[in-house]
Amino acid sequence: MNEPETIIRFVDVSKIYPLPAGDVVALDHVDLEIEAGEFVAVMGPSGSGKSTLLNLIGCLDTPSSGTLSIKGKDIGTLSDDDLTRLRRDHIGFIFQQFNLIPLLDVIENVEFPRVLKERRSGCDEACLELLDAVGLEPELHTHRPAELSGGQQQRVAIARALINEPEILLADEPTGNLDTKTGEGIMDLLTQMNRRGKTIIMVTHDTNIAAYAHRRVHLVDGRIA
Amino acid sequence: MIFFSFATRNLRRHMVRSFLATLGIVIGVFAIASLGVMGNSINLLAAGLIADVGDTVVITPHTALGGEGFVGDPRTMVAATISEADVDRIERAAGGNPVVAVVEEAADLRVGNEGGYAQVIGLATDDIPDLLDLSEGNYLRPGSPAALVGSVLAEEYGIRAGSRIALGDEEMRVAGVLEERGFAFDINPDYAVVIERDRFREQFPEKKGYDYVVITVADPDEMEGVKAAVENLMNRRDETVDVTDSRESLNQVNEIYDAMGRFLLGIGAVSLVIAAVSILNVMIISVTERRHEIGVMRSIGALRGEVMRMFLYEALVLGIAGSLIGGALSFVGGYVISLAAIAVFTAGTTFAEGATVFDPLSVAYILGAMLFGVVTSVAAGVYPAWQAAQMTPIEALRG
Ligand SMILES: Nc1ncnc2c1ncn2[C@@H]1O[C@H](COP(=O)(O)OP(=O)(O)OP(=O)(O)O)[C@@H](O)[C@H]1O
Ligand SMILES: [Mg+2]
């Protein structure tokens, strides 16, 4: 076995939202390292900065101070296009609201990130295998998101997050809108992806869900507790 | 092209709204194109209708001061003519350029069982070949009792060289038929009968003097000099005649047509501006509504430029759809307008046969208007598209 490589490194990272009523400190001098292949659950009360942390890892936002390196790159120094490419090629997002694109059918939703990356469309083996792996029946492949249940939508969203074979999967309360049984199905899927080598960082309130992860990070008032 | 199909799907999702936005472009393109075609048709017809003006100076009585009565008395207007002495003076002022004095009167024309009123023009026989061309038969010999017939009149009554006609009580033979001349600033023979001037005097004994005098100026540079000489000789004490030159009159007419064309194009341009505003409006609504969707796309890897492109395609599709519909309507509309213009402007002439419904310039107007419609639409989409691309993924996702 190789030495595990550090894929995400926070060094003294703060995130401050300036508001007219006063600055909101969402993350307060956070130091955190996550190694490739880890499965991390981020927990903490509402407003403690969990989503902020995840958005920084996902290159949707940049730190107010400190340095955050993803795959060795200091994201504070990257342009918007470079951040977008990093996100597109190395990071997969899974949202609480599923966030499929309503105008596209299941297949189109899944292949969309790959179209962005490789400028080619057309459903191929990889796409079908993924849909099979997340357990979506072939009859549903040409349905629009509005015609699917929450659990089915989240499976499609996971397939979409995986299509570009990213090293990192980010999930913000992926089971938050699902019943317990469906949620467990999704968690089994994530566990399986983690076994295949994906680094997973997942935000959750639910200790049962957090139990699937190897490591738990607790946030309180923007600080790691 | 996934972004393109995105654009069309989104437009289809909001069918009514897209249709209304397109309507602006349709109207704008239609307005510019059909107004352009109309202006062009009128111009073309006018150019064809107006006789090839040589460089002629036309002298008419200054009607307001023509007779004894008070200024503006309608009888003085009717009575006003140019006297024999005036013609002599004009000859002197013309400096060797040919001078033709013309008399006109309306008379009852009969051809077989048919008939009606026609203009009768009296000219000296040797002046006729200088002013008018023949399409068949011969010119009048001096002292001839025969007549020449204008083309439209000849067509209407089936008159040919050798036919017999009656003017008032006088029976006469037709020596020739004249070439169609169109509207001219000097002499208009198309609907007239031309007879020798002495015969005219016999037939209309109460007519004194001349109705107008035409000087044909050989060298265009002499034009101003001839006009000034006539003015000087005739109008020194009183304003007795009006002096106009045909080229100047033609320019005035052309200026009116040009101004009309510009005005019509202006209306079209204004309607395209309105169309642009409606596209802008629809696009801003679209961007606002799809904020969250834009956020999702950005978070799964769509670049700013790609988001921008997606919205520009939407504007492009609206513009192309609108322009195609507008262009098709203008082809139909232009066709109808041209036919109407031909009918109105060539009534009673044979010019309609030569008039084309679509000449290349009209087609160019339509294609130009369509291009303008597309460009307008895309330009209107730039700001909303830019706005969509400027949002950060987090802003967009939250919205
Ligand atoms: N764009 C923003 N502008 C201003 N304040 C923000 C913004 N995003 C987050 N915040 C603030 O930062 C703090 C942390 O927010 P964050 O969304 O990270 O919390 P969270 O832990 O994900 O909460 P929850 O469990 O409710 O999702 C909160 O006080 C929130 O109000
Ligand atoms: Mg949150």
Side-chain angles (χ1 to χ4, degrees), chain A residues 80-81, chain B residues 287 294 298 302-309 311 382-393 395:
Chain A
D80 189 87
D81 277 4
Chain B
V287 169
I294 294 166
R298 295 280 280 122
L303 298 168
R304 286 210 154 128
E306 288 166 335
V307 170
M308 174 129 181
R309 200 137 45 91
F311 282 95
V382 168
Y383 172 70
W386 177 84
Q387 221 187 13
Q390 273 325 98
M391 278 189 281
T392 68
E395 268 173 359

Side-chain angles (χ1 to χ4, degrees), chain A residues 182-193:
Chain A
T182 317
E184 280 167 4
I186 295 296
M187 288 317 298
D188 288 337
L189 206 50
L190 289 182
T191 307
Q192 205 181 316
M193 296 308 155

Side-chain angles (χ1 to χ4, degrees), chain A residues 17-19 24-26 44-53 61 172-173 203 205 219, chain B residues 394 398:
Chain A
Y17 294 108
L19 291 181
V24 176
V25 181
S46 187
S48 58
K50 304 184 294 296
S51 295
T52 304
L53 183 95
D61 215 343
D172 198 341
E173 309 209 27
V203 169
H205 281 113
L219 277 179
Chain B
I394 297 221
R398 186 143 2 96

Side-chain angles (χ1 to χ4, degrees), chain B residues 1-21:
Chain B
M1 277 315 291
I2 191 148
F3 290 110
F4 199 79
S5 104
F6 245 136
T8 54
R9 283 188 207 185
N10 187 54
L11 292 174
R12 242 181 292 137
R13 176 165 60 173
H14 300 292
M15 218 35 183
V16 174
R17 187 202 295 168
S18 308
F19 173 75
L20 290 177

Side-chain angles (χ1 to χ4, degrees), chain A residues 80 87 95 99 103 108 119, chain B residues 9 292 296 298-299 306:
Chain A
D80 189 87
R87 197 153 67 221
F95 304 90
N99 283 349
L103 285 175
E108 288 168 327
R119 323 223 127 271
Chain B
R9 283 188 207 185
H292 186 75
V296 173
R298 295 280 280 122
S299 66
E306 288 166 335

